[in-house]
Amino acid sequence: MSGIKRNIIPDFRPSLIDRHLPGTTQVQRLLRREGRAHVFNDRETLERATKAIIESGERTGAEDEDDDYERYGLYFSEAIGYIIRADSSRTPLYYGEIKIVKATGEYHVIPRTSPRRTS
């Protein structure tokens, strides 16, 4: 079965959205602190990726995984974002993930290289 089959609500905290959009203060902070940031190409791409993952994403991780989150992801044929590094180099990203807080159903979307690894 693919897609997210439960009620979820977006987490609209600007800090979660802005940390994945190029040119924001949050991205600049990540570059200073961590030396890199995973960003979508733009807000429109973030919204398109979100819709596609909700409709067709595959659940990643085990059902009984001891984690406070559910994760769904999807590979895209075109880059949806990139890893930007402090030296301005970029690596394209083709995978998007929705991370859902199990207790509340709130979610946010992250561009990634691949599904999160589980133990």
Side-chain angles (χ1 to χ4, degrees):
M1 180 182 346
S2 63
I4 299 173
K5 306 299 185 208
R6 65 176 276 208
N7 288 330
I8 59 174
I9 54 174
D11 186 334
F12 286 119
R13 286 182 288 171
S15 61
L16 286 177
I17 296 169
D18 289 352
R19 75 182 310 168
H20 298 299
L21 291 174
T24 63
T25 303
Q26 306 297 32
V27 169
Q28 295 307 314
R29 184 176 298 132
L30 282 169
L31 289 172
R32 282 192 308 275
R33 287 185 181 170
E34 299 178 18
R36 69 183 193 161
H38 289 67
V39 298
F40 285 96
N41 293 331
D42 51 37
R43 185 176 291 274
E44 181 182 325
T45 304
L46 179 149
E47 291 169 1
R48 270 194 342 265
T50 300
K51 184 177 183 207
I53 297 166
I54 289 172
E55 292 174 356
S56 304
E58 295 293 329
R59 188 161 200 267
T60 60
E63 285 289 330
D64 61 351
E65 188 176 330
D66 186 25
D67 190 357
D68 293 333
Y69 304 98
E70 288 178 51
R71 291 174 174 83
Y72 291 80
L74 186 65
Y75 281 100
F76 293 85
S77 59
E78 295 182 15
I80 59 170
Y82 50 91
I83 299 171
I84 186 169
R85 292 181 181 75
D87 67 3
S88 298
S89 65
R90 297 178 178 199
T91 302
L93 297 172
Y94 294 87
Y95 187 80
E97 176 184 87
I98 286 183
K99 183 176 176 182
I100 306 167
V101 178
K102 287 180 182 177
T104 66
E106 290 180 305
Y107 72 87
H108 69 277
V109 186
I110 308 163
R112 298 177 53 86
T113 55
S114 63
R116 175 179 172 263
R117 305 285 184 248
T118 57
S119 51

